[in-house]
Amino acid sequence: PLKPHPQRNGSERNPGAAPPRLPFSRVTREDLAFFRTLLPGRTITDPDLLKSSNVDWLKTVEGNSEVLLRPKTTEEVSQILRHCNERNLAVCPQGGNTGLVGGSVPVFDEIILSTSLMNQVITFDNISGILTCQAGCVLENLSNYLEERDFIMPLDLGAKGSCHIGGNVSTNAGGLRLLRYGSLRGTVLGLEVVLADGRILNCLATLRKDNTGYDLKQLFIGSEGTLGVITAVSILCPRKPKAVNVAFLGCSSFQQLLETFQCCRGMLGEILSAFEFFDASCMSLLEKHLKLTNPITESPFYIVIETAGSNATHDEEKLHKFLEEVMTSSLVTDGTVATEATKIKALWSLRERVTEALTHEGYTYKYDISLPVEKIYDLVQDMRGHLGDMAKNVVGYGHVGDGNLHLNITSPSKDPALLAAIEPYVYEWTSEWKGSISAEHGLGLKKRNYIYYSKPSEAVALMGSIKAMLDPKGILNPYKTLPDNIH
Amino acid sequence: MHRSSEVKHVASYLNTRGCECFGQPCESHCPVLTDRTIHVQLKTFIKIRVKPDRTGVVTDGVKHSMNPFCEIAVEEAIKLKEKKLVKEVVAVSCGPQQVQETIRTALAMGADRGIHVEVSGKDYETLGPLQVSKIFAALAKKEQADLIILGKQAIDDDCNQTGQMTAALLDWPQGTFASEMTLEADKLKVVREVDGGLETIKIKLPAVVTADLRLNTPRYATLPNIMKAKKKKIANVKPADLGVDVCSRLEVLKVDEPPQRQAGVKVETVDDLVGKLKEAGRV
């Protein structure tokens, strides 16, 4: 028997759709005059320019904002929020707009507060590896900056060319390196946040260890812009590995994939930096839409393993011993290895571009689930059986090393009947195995009402209290993250 | 010169030379240290550093990799073998110990055996196309090769000379910049990429061919082949054994970085633009 769902209030509306507009003020000429004085040339009201900021990357949600603001400094952000708080104007903070749960775009006419011009590195200490920068720095740019100095960012994701570090932190982004370097909750050392009323909270410490009072930054990490706007980040960066190798392997069953993971953990140990998987359906989409070639023979499952270490010979020896072991024991049916950058990039792009390949199939229903690792593929197979012909593709891929599945279901166009078959079935399934209905993507607009599948009502109530305390008027990214019934 | 009706073996020369190279982001064939740097692509690249004494670039601790055109050459050789047009593929590389890894990659792709011509230290730093082609010509005679396939040029020095010089030293015909090659009895039909388009020639074997980008797409070396490659032989040979003097006739006077790219200047209005252009004497 499944847990009773406390959210159900008899409403027939789709829980992922937008609720009715809350009674925020509307932008007036006076407001525009204020913004234009504060941010000359950086107050955008042209509908064509606003269009791309009103729609999410997946093109599944669209808002009607009429104002896009581009501050350059924390002080400007503070003044914007102070004004909006006084005037009861809703604000949607926006970084790279690469979020997948509709959290980065307005639902109605919220003012878009963009970090795109807050893109300066503030300091970098190459002894401690601590980087401080503004929230609008693009992740890939930070990676390039650090790589020149022999360091790397502790996180890496497919969206790196567009996402902003502020957005990464406010969504507690996971990504491909989490297995090795841990989550942002560990690597972020300090934050500078502007609160709903414009107060600037400077907790931009650059200390590895600081146990003085409550760790406030943890509140803002993963709060999806609903508790404050992050304006600067200090983050601990690891040294750039001298030797990176990637192995691309094929397995004939998920059970063997899991055993390969065990073996990998044992034999590669501390040099393992990523363990990702995707299934044969993903490979067909990569071949069909992006014309990528499968480097090995066709298999039901593909694994991408990355090692990163300080000694090439040592790492290659370990990797080769591991590969020999999994080949001779037939855990793996085929594979290839890359030690040099172009080939490494080519192998990684197979995993990184699955999301892109899916967008060519029509409409994608995306589910980012955390489950006990052995159950991960059961969900995919179960969904296939459950949906039958209703879905065009049901694919599974993701950070299997972290117990995180990306389940994607496509159909030629938006299909409410398909959606009704998927939800809440997928959430109930996840809840039954005590998984998370959003491992790393967050709740945003689309998943806010499903929070109860993974958190008890007392916890959600406390979240509501914290929100009410920090943002009494509720102007920061309304309609997101917390369920509608919290109000 | 031994010739048989069936091509006996194909030798594939793998470029492993380091070079005078400049810190520009690499595209398809821009000067980058081939076998010593991680091949740079678009946004992620290893910064190439000129040595303080300006005699060359820093190569310590930088990773070797097979020259992309040479990889295409190896692939072509293996394809010929798979079509049973050729009996044996031998992969050859000149350089220090590290080049063995590059030879192993060729073996993993399907080459039958390797030859490592040991050149290290100062000799390696000054090793250039002329010495390499002499080594290669000597090896070709010793091994009784029927066909030599090389990459058209190394992406670190961009010399584009080794193939041509090797053919000249052996007095063999050459089909350079090959985008297609077909073996027809004892003749080779080669489609060459030239400035004006494509040129098709027929050359008699033995011959030298240099591979261009569109000749093929190199395969990934798969694990079973990587394992098999460990057992394949790599013979060690010294240039002296081949009667070749690797002394260079060239002296590098100095190596400099290209001038730093200046940042652009943003202007707010058309008048500002005109003003700035006038200032710079451009208008």
Side-chain angles (χ1 to χ4, degrees), chain B:
Chain B
M1 177 54 99
H2 173 78
R3 254 170 248 188
S4 63
S5 56
E6 183 187 46
V7 175
K8 207 176 97 179
H9 72 227
V10 172
S12 221
Y13 169 59
L14 306 169
N15 181 290
T16 55
R17 199 199 172 300
C19 89
E20 303 80 41
C21 138
F22 312 105
Q24 292 161 26
C26 167
E27 288 170 23
S28 59
H29 56 108
C30 112
V32 167
L33 284 176
T34 357
D35 295 306
R36 306 213 211 192
T37 43
I38 295 180
H39 176 55
V40 297
Q41 274 269 334
L42 299 168
K43 287 168 190 165
T44 56
F45 65 98
I46 302 293
K47 192 137 178 61
I48 313 297
R49 278 174 255 259
V50 175
K51 282 197 250 186
D53 62 3
R54 290 156 93 208
T55 55
V57 295
V58 174
T59 58
D60 284 335
V62 187
K63 194 163 167 57
H64 284 59
S65 64
M66 197 189 297
N67 183 42
F69 295 111
C70 298
E71 213 182 322
I72 295 173
V74 172
E75 174 65 25
E76 197 62 21
I78 292 164
K79 276 185 141 104
L80 287 172
K81 186 176 155 209
E82 285 173 342
K83 290 187 194 147
K84 300 206 195 317
L85 296 170
V86 142
K87 271 222 316 245
E88 191 189 27
V89 174
V90 182
V92 181
S93 194
C94 305
Q97 193 57 26
Q98 297 103 300
V99 311
Q100 295 225 358
E101 200 189 308
T102 313
I103 300 175
R104 285 266 167 236
T105 307
L107 295 174
M109 285 170 72
D112 298 295
R113 58 185 168 92
I115 299 176
H116 171 200
V117 181
E118 292 169 12
V119 182
S120 49
K122 256 273 159 260
D123 285 340
Y124 185 55
E125 278 174 41
T126 56
L127 191 68
L130 182 57
Q131 301 103 303
V132 169
S133 24
K134 285 180 182 171
I135 290 171
F136 218 56
L139 265 176
K141 289 191 184 128
K142 181 160 173 258
E143 296 283 335
Q144 301 190 317
D146 300 288
L147 177 60
I148 301 176
I149 315 182
L150 310 84
K152 69 171 180 180
Q153 66 200 61
I155 63 169
D156 52 17
D157 56 25
D158 269 347
C159 285
N160 189 350
Q161 295 164 359
T162 308
Q164 293 86 335
M165 285 181 179
T166 309
L169 288 168
L170 288 166
D171 198 25
W172 287 6
Q174 57 186 261
T176 54
F177 311 109
S179 64
E180 218 183 292
M181 56 183 262
T182 334
L183 203 49
E184 293 169 0
D186 65 336
K187 291 211 183 53
L188 199 56
K189 185 173 93 174
V190 181
V191 178
R192 307 178 56 228
E193 297 204 7
V194 296
D195 284 347
L198 298 172
E199 179 192 51
T200 309
I201 59 172
K202 257 198 189 144
I203 51 179
K204 280 197 206 155
L205 290 175
V208 174
V209 172
T210 72
D212 209 324
L213 195 62
R214 276 158 277 270
L215 183 59
N216 61 49
T217 310
R219 68 195 61 196
Y220 283 88
T222 55
L223 284 182
N225 290 324
I226 295 174
M227 301 294 154
K228 275 190 224 152
K230 290 196 183 153
K231 302 199 180 71
K232 292 182 183 174
K233 285 198 181 355
I234 300 179
N236 290 309
V237 163
K238 291 198 173 46
D241 301 339
L242 301 168
V244 173
D245 170 20
V246 290
C247 177
S248 175
R249 278 134 162 100
L250 300 173
E251 185 194 335
V252 172
L253 296 177
K254 74 172 158 88
V255 175
D256 278 322
E257 282 189 21
Q260 281 286 358
R261 202 177 150 191
Q262 296 298 326
V265 175
K266 258 180 144 166
V267 292
E268 295 292 314
T269 69
V270 173
D271 289 332
D272 284 350
L273 176 61
V274 174
K276 281 251 171 338
L277 287 172
K278 283 192 173 150
E279 253 174 56
R282 306 286 191 149
V283 149

Side-chain angles (χ1 to χ4, degrees), chain A residues 291-308:
Chain A
K291 308 280 178 273
L292 298 180
T293 7
N294 185 349
I296 58 175
T297 45
E298 232 176 279
S299 318
F301 295 98
Y302 300 95
I303 309 176
V304 179
I305 295 176
E306 185 188 81
T307 64

Side-chain angles (χ1 to χ4, degrees), chain A residues 238-311:
Chain A
R239 282 295 291 273
K240 183 166 77 180
K242 292 213 172 53
V244 175
N245 297 312
V246 170
F248 188 83
L249 308 174
C251 281
S252 55
S253 76
F254 198 70
Q255 182 53 34
Q256 291 183 316
L257 189 154
L258 291 176
E259 285 176 42
T260 306
F261 181 49
Q262 300 259 68
C263 188
C264 185
R265 264 264 162 86
M267 296 183 78
L268 295 177
E270 69 286 355
I271 63 166
L272 181 63
S273 60
F275 192 97
E276 299 281 316
F277 95 104
F278 58 92
D279 62 15
S281 316
C282 294
M283 183 60 89
S284 342
L285 294 176
L286 290 165
E287 290 171 324
K288 178 172 160 198
H289 295 298
L290 304 177
K291 308 280 178 273
L292 298 180
T293 7
N294 185 349
I296 58 175
T297 45
E298 232 176 279
S299 318
F301 295 98
Y302 300 95
I303 309 176
V304 179
I305 295 176
E306 185 188 81
T307 64
S310 54
N311 185 318

Side-chain angles (χ1 to χ4, degrees), chain A residues 35-50:
Chain A
F35 293 135
R36 287 198 172 110
T37 315
L38 178 66
L39 312 169
R42 296 177 279 129
T43 304
I44 317 287
T45 50
D46 183 324
D48 289 330
L49 293 174
L50 275 162

